[in-house]
């Protein structure tokens, strides 16, 4: 569940008690590159240069300067109509058209006094512009306390250009601390379009990307399952590598929820723990909670420990509490996820060998309209040991061993037997399994060919716990022989006028495994693998170790690739099929008839960038015996330039009744407006399983986003959410952030920024 980089926490924070004057919060963000801070050098030993049209006074004590005055010392430059330079104190007093450049920042004013040694002084009626975050404003007086700290009386602050900014902050006093990268205002009011939207007796905000403690901007939104939601997170910057966010949230139809996220990052360990708790949900009259904790630790350079724990209070938690849009501390678990993992691992990696221990189980979230009968077995524990060696007199060898204790409560075993179509032939019991699998191969690799013969042995032993209390032992040893071979041809070609290398790569893969009756073996962790290009080049058509498929088969495939001079793959075409020389007798359901087909479905794939702006990805599985398509995926993407992308996808899977169209886009509309959207439509269900519609407006110094999303949370129910965000660049973000949803729902989405406006 460690879903984001550690240093991605938003840096905008509000400190002290903030009073919302207008509760309107909207979505946006800008990725413009900020300038780097000018390094602040010690200027006390640097010379002072004085220029003016007239210079009078005593050279060793005091100089009176008039007409185009310029005084420079190190990174400080002062221009004015007139000035007095006190050389003994190294102090400048100036009047008329004051202009100051200090460490990259720029100030103007009517009068100035500044100590060039200590950087202490003041400017009357100042204006300012800060280099680091492009902020600007003015006030009655600015006091420089040292090189890094200054205070402005009756100040304004904005990152908008011009004399009439779209947003600005007015404060009785505004302090800027460049050493800590913090701005602090007292008695402030935030204006947007000349309307006050936020007031607070004190407000702090970052002047750079540094993290700091404080109240994060409030998050406001609405969902169909919870009503209006308002969250006010508080961020604790405990240390550079540790932080904590606590998020109280008001959900009008349900009550008050408390969420939290704690993160830590050390040299040898890291982790994140997230939780949500809602006492006495008004809709269900129950306590609702969720927790997710992830920890990984390197105990020694070779020994690693990991922990992954997830738990929710009930089956409907993810349906009722949508974490797909605008979440602050939410667990980011997809609403459709129904298996939550709890596991602990210990792994040791040596030179040519590795060992691991694991204990795991799952929380199964049931949907009454789509029941899961087979809860995965718990592993209590699973022990693995693997060893290998490459090129031992030309041979590669390896051995994998695994011992696992599989266990389920009696009620779960009994529930499996209520599944429609259940037969007694396949036992549903607890038990132990020991698997040993040695293999040896002799790779022969040339400039344009490879041949890799391999021999492996699968030996397994089961100790099964019968429901009557007796133990049943099963043993099995099966050999497998395979040969993987291929040729690689190349020729120089061109692709739309560009030089490329085209390859032709025929490949043959033969597998032989004798038949063994395994109808009385349990299915602890085994299922039939999805048929596709990775699977047809595997030795076993099942995943897991409970069933070893009989095989006397040959896979034939041809791949052609177009490679750019850099080696990047421009396009890939592939076609493949498996040919069977005997019936396939090992089956998941022992009562099913043997498969007598002499050839598999035909696989075809085409993917790549047809042009720099247009890409496709296509995969088709076609049955020559029934003359029907079993599965298909067609997707296209057109991305002619930044912030312009159109996606179209069609997905079809016959047995699972998946027949879905996905359309998504990001596109400029007009005058800095951008539209984003996605619709996923299920043809069998005749309903929209996901709908997203959003708008973005980039004004340069602020960005506005609004997004509405409807997402199916079960076979019959859906949740609708509406969120807004207003980002004031250089100050903060108000509202909830839909950017994560835009990125996940719209392939190729790019964040709008001030460097790429129309």
């Amino acid at each position: 569940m460690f879903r984001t980089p550690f240093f991605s926490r938003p840096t905008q924070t509000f400190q002290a008690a903030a009073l919302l004057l207008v509760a309107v919060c909207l979505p946006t963000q800008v990725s413009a590159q900020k300038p780097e801070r000018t390094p602040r050098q010690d200027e006390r030993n640097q010379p002072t240069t004085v220029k003016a049209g007239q210079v009078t006074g005593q050279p060793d004590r005091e100089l009176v300067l008039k007409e185009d005055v310029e005084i420079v010392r190190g990174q400080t430059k002062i221009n004015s109509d007139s000035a007095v330079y006190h050389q003994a104190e190294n102090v400048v007093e100036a009047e008329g058209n004051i202009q100051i450049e200090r460490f990259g920042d720029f100030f103007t004013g009517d009068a100035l006094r500044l100590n060039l040694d200590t950087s202490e002084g003041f400017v009357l009626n100042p204006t300012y512009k800060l280099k680091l975050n492009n902020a600007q404003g003015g006030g009655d007086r600015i006091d420089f306390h040292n090189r890094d700290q200054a205070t402005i009386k009756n100040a304004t602050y904005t990152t908008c250009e011009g004399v009439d900014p779209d947003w600005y902050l007015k404060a009785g006093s505004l302090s800027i601390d460049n050493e800590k990268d913090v701005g602090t205002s007292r008695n402030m009011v935030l204006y947007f379009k000349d309307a006050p939207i936020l007031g607070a007796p004190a407000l702090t905000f970052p002047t750079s990307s540094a993290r700091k403690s404080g109240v994060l901007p409030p998050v406001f939104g609405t969902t169909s399952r919870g009503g209006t939601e308002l969250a006010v997170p508080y961020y604790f910057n405990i240390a550079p590598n540790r932080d904590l966010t606590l998020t109280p949230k008001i959900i009008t139809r349900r009550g008050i929820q408390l969420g939290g996220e704690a993160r830590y990052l050390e040299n040898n360990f890291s982790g994140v723990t997230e939780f949500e708790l809602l006492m006495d949900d008004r809709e269900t009259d129950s306590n609702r909670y969720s927790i997710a904790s992830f920890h990984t630790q390197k105990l020694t350079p070779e020994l690693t420990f990991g922990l992954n724990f997830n738990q929710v209070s009930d089956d409907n938690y993810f349906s009722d509490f949508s974490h797909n849009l605008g979440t602050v501390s939410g667990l980011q678990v997809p609403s459709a996820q129904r298996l939550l993992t709890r596991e602990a691992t210990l792994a040791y990696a040596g030179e040519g060998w590795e060992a691991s221990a694991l204990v795991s189980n799952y929380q199964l979230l049931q949907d009454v309209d789509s029941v899961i009968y087979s809860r995965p077995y718990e592993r209590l524990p699973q022990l693995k040991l693997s060893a290998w060696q490459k090129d031992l007199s030309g041979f590669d060898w390896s051995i994998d061993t695994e011992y696992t204790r599989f266990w389920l409560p009696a009620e779960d075993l009994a529930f499996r037997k209520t599944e429609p179509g259940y037969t007694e032939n396949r036992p549903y019991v607890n038990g132990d399994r020991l698997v040993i699998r040695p293999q040896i191969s002799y790779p022969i690799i040339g400039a344009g060919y490879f041949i890799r013969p391999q021999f492996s042995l699968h030996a397994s032993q089961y100790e099964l716990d019968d429901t009557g209390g007796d133990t049943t032992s099963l043993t099995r040893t099966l050999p497998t022989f395979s040969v993987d071979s291929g040729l690689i041809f190349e020729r120089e070609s061109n692709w739309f006028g560009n030089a490329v290398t085209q390859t032709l790569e025929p490949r043959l893969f033969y597998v032989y495994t004798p038949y063994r009756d395994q109808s009385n073996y349990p299915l602890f962790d085994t299922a039939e693998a999805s048929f596709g290009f990775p699977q047809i080049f595997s030795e076993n058509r099942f995943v897991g170790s409970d069933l070893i498929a009989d095989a006397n088969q040959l896979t034939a495939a041809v791949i052609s690739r177009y490679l750019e001079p850099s080696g990047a793959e421009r396009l890939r075409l592939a076609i493949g099929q498996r040919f069977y020389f005997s019936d396939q007798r090992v089956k998941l359901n022992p009562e099913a008839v043997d498969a007598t087909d002499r050839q598999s479905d035909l696989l075809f794939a085409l993917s790549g960038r047809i042009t720099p702006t247009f890409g496709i990805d296509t995969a088709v599985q076609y049955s020559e015996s029934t003359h029907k398509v079993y599965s298909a995926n067609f997707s296209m993407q057109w991305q002619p330039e930044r912030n312009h992308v159109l996606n179209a996808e069609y997905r079809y899977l016959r047995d699972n009744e998946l027949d879905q169209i996905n359309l998504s886009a990001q596109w400029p509309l007009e005058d800095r407006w951008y539209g984003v959207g996605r619709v996923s439509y299920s043809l069998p269900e005749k309903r929209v399983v996901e709908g997203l519609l959003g708008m973005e407006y980039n004004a340069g110094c602020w960005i506005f986003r609004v997004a509405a999303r409807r997402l199916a949370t079960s076979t019959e129910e859906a949740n609708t959410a509406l969120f807004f965000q207003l980002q004031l660049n250089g100050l903060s973000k108000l509202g909830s952030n839909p950017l994560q949803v835009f990125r996940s729902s719209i392939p190729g989405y790019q964040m709008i920024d001030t460097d790429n406006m129309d």
Side-chain angles (χ1 to χ4, degrees):
M1 288 290 183
F2 196 81
R3 70 185 189 279
T4 59
F6 185 80
F7 294 106
S8 66
R9 170 65 57 203
T11 59
Q12 294 81 357
T13 62
F14 291 92
Q15 282 187 339
L19 172 64
L20 282 175
L21 300 183
V22 178
V24 178
C25 309
L26 314 155
T28 77
Q29 187 161 41
V30 161
S31 63
Q33 283 282 60
K34 292 184 178 180
E36 296 182 358
R37 172 179 287 117
T38 302
R40 298 179 184 257
Q41 304 169 355
D42 190 346
E43 300 179 335
R44 285 174 292 184
N45 296 322
Q46 296 190 19
T48 301
T49 302
V50 176
K51 296 180 181 179
Q54 296 181 20
V55 180
T56 59
Q58 301 177 11
D60 294 334
R61 296 179 58 84
E62 182 179 279
L63 296 178
V64 179
L65 312 173
K66 296 182 179 180
E67 298 180 11
D68 300 326
V69 176
E70 180 179 279
I71 302 173
V72 179
R73 188 180 193 191
Q75 295 171 287
T76 300
K77 177 181 176 183
I78 302 171
N79 294 93
S80 65
D81 292 340
S82 63
V84 177
Y85 175 44
H86 304 279
Q87 289 184 271
E89 298 88 356
N90 215 4
V91 171
V92 176
E93 295 178 338
E95 293 182 349
N97 296 317
I98 303 294
Q99 295 183 2
I100 312 168
E101 292 183 47
R102 269 176 110 238
F103 312 112
D105 299 333
F106 184 76
F107 304 86
T108 69
D110 295 336
L112 159 76
R113 178 182 173 86
L114 184 66
N115 187 313
L116 298 180
D117 286 335
T118 65
S119 294
E120 293 181 81
F122 66 84
V123 178
L124 300 181
N125 297 321
T127 67
Y128 65 89
K129 186 166 186 177
L130 307 181
K131 175 183 178 182
L132 191 62
N133 61 351
N134 198 40
Q136 58 187 343
D140 293 344
R141 174 185 171 119
I142 182 169
D143 290 299
F144 299 112
H145 307 300
N146 50 48
R147 294 185 302 169
D148 295 305
Q149 297 174 329
T151 300
I152 310 169
K153 302 296 184 182
N154 295 323
T156 61
Y157 177 93
T158 185
T159 58
C160 297
E161 302 283 352
V163 296
D164 187 19
D166 288 344
W167 72 266
Y168 59 92
L169 181 152
K170 291 185 69 173
S173 68
L174 175 64
S175 298
I176 303 294
D177 190 332
N178 287 318
E179 182 179 10
K180 297 180 179 179
D181 295 325
V182 172
T184 303
S185 64
R186 305 289 179 183
N187 300 321
M188 60 76 61
V189 177
L190 178 62
Y191 291 84
F192 181 72
K193 294 295 184 178
D194 292 325
I197 63 172
L198 185 70
L203 170 77
T204 66
F205 54 90
T207 58
S208 72
S209 58
R211 300 177 301 135
K212 64 181 298 295
S213 298
V215 179
L216 293 170
V219 177
F220 174 84
T222 180
T223 69
S224 60
R225 305 294 292 272
T228 302
E229 299 182 6
L230 176 63
V232 184
Y234 192 94
Y235 176 71
F236 296 89
N237 184 27
I238 300 171
N241 58 343
R242 298 172 185 268
D243 63 11
L244 170 67
T245 304
L246 293 180
T247 307
K249 180 190 291 185
I250 298 174
I251 306 175
T252 55
R253 291 173 55 182
R254 297 187 179 274
I256 298 177
Q257 181 188 71
L258 177 64
E261 179 188 59
R263 303 185 298 176
Y264 51 92
L265 177 64
E266 299 285 353
N267 290 333
N268 294 324
F269 64 91
S270 63
V272 58
T273 296
E274 302 174 322
F275 72 89
E276 290 177 343
L277 174 63
L278 191 152
M279 302 298 293
D280 193 19
D281 186 338
R282 288 196 291 265
E283 292 285 312
T284 63
D285 293 324
S286 63
N287 298 330
R288 315 289 296 277
Y289 69 87
S290 65
I291 184 170
S293 183
F294 176 84
H295 175 87
T296 181
Q297 184 165 358
K298 184 171 287 189
L299 302 176
T300 70
E302 299 83 14
L303 186 62
T304 303
F305 171 75
L307 177 68
N308 186 10
F309 180 83
N310 301 276
Q311 179 82 25
V312 296
S313 56
D314 53 85
D315 291 339
N316 298 321
Y317 189 87
F318 293 126
S319 299
D320 291 343
F321 300 98
S322 175
H323 299 87
N324 298 284
L325 187 60
T327 184
V328 177
S329 63
L331 306 182
Q332 298 291 340
V333 178
S335 296
Q337 182 165 341
R338 298 168 61 185
L339 284 175
L340 303 185
T341 302
R342 286 83 66 91
E343 65 181 21
T345 60
L346 190 67
Y348 187 93
E351 180 97 18
W353 68 279
E354 61 184 18
S356 65
L358 175 145
V359 291
S360 69
N361 67 7
Y362 297 87
Q363 181 185 9
L364 174 61
L365 307 183
Q366 290 287 12
D367 180 353
V368 294
D369 298 310
S370 179
V371 176
I372 296 177
Y373 291 91
S374 300
R375 175 184 169 187
Y377 275 89
E378 300 178 11
R379 293 171 170 86
L380 304 173
Q382 181 180 75
L383 305 176
K384 290 184 177 181
L385 177 64
S386 300
W388 62 89
Q389 187 171 357
K390 299 288 186 181
D391 195 16
L392 179 63
S393 300
F395 288 90
D396 295 343
W397 68 266
S398 67
I399 182 170
D400 299 309
T401 61
E402 173 199 309
Y403 165 78
T404 308
R405 168 64 177 172
F406 293 98
W407 185 87
L408 276 179
E411 57 269 22
D412 288 312
L413 293 174
F415 186 65
R416 284 187 170 209
K417 298 180 181 180
T418 66
E419 182 176 8
Y422 166 78
T423 65
E424 292 286 349
N425 290 342
R426 183 75 69 190
Y428 288 127
V429 295
N430 296 324
D432 301 344
R433 185 185 70 193
L434 175 66
V435 176
I436 301 176
R437 188 172 184 269
Q439 62 184 25
I440 187 169
S441 63
Y442 189 84
I444 304 170
I445 302 175
Y449 66 92
F450 69 90
I451 303 174
R452 187 174 182 269
Q454 177 173 287
F455 177 80
S456 63
L457 199 65
H458 183 105
S460 55
Q461 179 175 348
Y462 290 77
E463 297 293 332
L464 305 180
D465 303 335
D466 288 347
T467 55
D470 298 329
T471 299
T472 300
S473 296
L474 298 173
T475 58
R476 172 185 59 198
T477 302
L478 280 172
T480 295
F481 173 73
S482 66
V483 180
D484 193 4
S485 62
L487 299 173
I488 303 173
F489 301 98
E490 295 183 354
R491 70 166 187 170
E492 299 303 315
S493 183
N494 70 81
W495 184 265
F496 292 96
N498 298 316
V500 295
T501 299
Q502 182 186 6
T503 70
L504 184 66
E505 305 170 37
R507 183 178 176 184
L508 294 175
F509 180 64
Y510 175 78
V511 180
Y512 176 78
T513 302
Y515 170 74
R516 172 77 176 270
D517 182 13
Q518 301 164 61
S519 58
N520 59 338
Y521 280 69
L523 299 182
F524 288 139
D525 63 355
T526 297
E528 192 157 4
S530 298
F531 189 72
F533 276 98
Q535 198 277 328
I536 63 174
F537 289 102
S538 64
E539 294 179 340
N540 191 4
R541 64 177 180 270
F542 300 105
V543 292
S545 299
D546 295 315
L547 294 182
I548 309 302
D550 55 318
N552 184 14
Q553 61 198 31
L554 177 69
T555 297
V558 178
I559 301 171
S560 181
R561 298 184 294 159
Y562 288 83
L563 306 176
E564 296 180 346
S566 64
E569 187 176 280
R570 168 68 73 176
L571 189 71
R572 174 191 289 259
L573 301 94
I575 186 170
Q577 193 170 24
R578 179 184 287 165
F579 300 91
Y580 303 102
F581 303 119
S582 60
D583 296 345
Q584 304 156 64
R585 303 171 63 186
V586 178
K587 305 172 289 293
L588 288 175
N589 182 359
E591 295 185 350
V593 298
D594 295 344
T596 59
D597 293 339
R598 287 296 175 258
Q599 60 192 34
S600 72
D601 293 345
L602 186 66
L603 295 176
F604 172 79
L606 171 65
S607 62
R609 306 295 296 183
I610 304 300
T611 70
T613 63
F614 181 74
I616 61 172
D617 189 2
T618 299
V620 177
Q621 179 181 342
Y622 176 77
S623 172
E624 292 184 296
S625 59
T626 63
H627 303 288
K628 293 181 179 180
V629 173
Y630 177 80
S631 68
N633 182 78
F634 303 95
S635 66
M636 297 180 294
Q637 182 182 86
W638 183 46
Q639 196 166 18
E641 55 185 291
R642 184 175 177 84
N643 304 128
H644 296 65
V645 62
L646 297 176
N647 301 289
E649 181 185 39
Y650 173 71
R651 299 176 62 196
Y652 172 78
L653 187 60
R654 188 170 69 228
D655 288 351
N656 289 357
E657 297 184 352
L658 174 65
D659 196 359
Q660 186 170 301
I661 298 173
N662 302 319
L663 303 174
S664 62
Q666 177 192 22
W667 206 263
L669 302 177
E670 61 176 18
D671 193 22
R672 302 187 177 187
W673 281 98
Y674 298 77
V676 294
R678 176 185 175 91
V679 59
S680 297
Y681 185 79
S682 174
L683 296 174
E685 299 174 292
K686 297 182 180 179
R687 69 164 181 160
V688 175
V689 295
E690 180 186 4
L692 171 68
L693 182 62
M695 299 285 288
E696 301 176 278
Y697 180 79
N698 188 352
C701 63
W702 60 273
I703 305 177
F704 167 77
R705 290 186 178 91
V706 58
R709 191 188 199 196
R710 179 175 176 82
L711 184 69
T713 56
S714 67
T715 55
E716 299 294 333
E717 298 181 333
N719 196 0
T720 302
L722 178 64
F723 292 86
F724 304 88
Q725 187 189 60
L726 176 64
Q727 175 177 308
L728 306 178
N729 297 336
L731 184 68
S732 189
K733 305 182 189 75
L734 305 178
S736 52
N737 190 355
L739 285 175
Q740 181 61 36
V741 174
F742 290 170
R743 293 189 185 103
S744 61
S745 298
I746 305 170
Y749 170 85
Q750 294 174 312
M751 188 167 61
I752 61 175
D753 57 55
T754 54
D755 289 340
N756 295 279
M757 291 190 299
D758 289 346

